[in-house]
Amino acid sequence: QVQLVESGGGLVQAGGSLRVSCAASGRFFSAYVMGWIRQAPGKERQVVATITGDAGTKYYADSVKGRFTISRDNAKNMVYLQMNGLKDEDTAVYYCAASFTSGTSFNGRYWGQGTQVNVSS
């Protein structure tokens, strides 16, 4: 089992940048695919980005490609999401999650509590 705690959310102006972080505890962190899932009010959950255990394969939703970067540090049990060029539509609660599937099949077996990101225009 993995416990996940997000941090780094907040309010940022459109066009700005923000980095959210996820601290993981538990065993075998490097065995998990890690990802970020977001949910905005009135919208379905969206898998934003995923990264395999060895960081060899990354997936990004089309809406964030070229703007967001996912990374992980297995030595520190950390996952990051660097968000640049933020837009109003990026406003959402961002959840860190762990799974054994990646990309569009990422299903978030374990979840954090979420961190709110608000983008103002």
Side-chain angles (χ1 to χ4, degrees):
Q1 191 169 355
V2 177
Q3 293 79 42
L4 305 170
V5 178
E6 302 95 335
S7 61
L11 176 64
V12 62
Q13 288 190 333
S17 297
L18 199 65
R19 188 178 81 159
V20 290
S21 302
C22 174
S25 59
R27 301 177 68 185
F28 309 119
F29 171 74
S30 62
Y32 290 95
V33 176
M34 299 300 297
W36 292 91
I37 297 172
R38 68 184 180 186
Q39 180 146 34
K43 295 185 178 180
E44 293 186 355
R45 285 176 182 168
Q46 180 187 30
V47 177
V48 175
T50 66
I51 185 169
T52 53
D54 63 357
T57 301
K58 300 178 183 179
Y59 161 85
Y60 296 97
D62 287 344
S63 57
V64 306
K65 277 181 183 176
R67 300 189 298 122
F68 289 12
T69 302
I70 189 170
S71 61
R72 67 189 294 162
D73 184 338
N74 287 341
K76 297 181 178 180
N77 281 15
M78 295 291 296
V79 181
Y80 307 98
L81 185 69
Q82 177 67 44
M83 302 182 286
N84 299 328
L86 283 161
K87 305 176 181 179
D88 289 352
E89 51 263 42
D90 295 318
T91 293
V93 177
Y94 284 73
Y95 297 92
C96 175
S99 181
F100 294 109
T101 57
S102 62
T104 55
S105 299
F106 186 75
N107 60 8
R109 182 170 183 174
Y110 303 107
W111 291 68
Q113 83 287 352
T115 186
Q116 179 72 47
V117 172
N118 291 312
V119 183
S120 65
S121 56

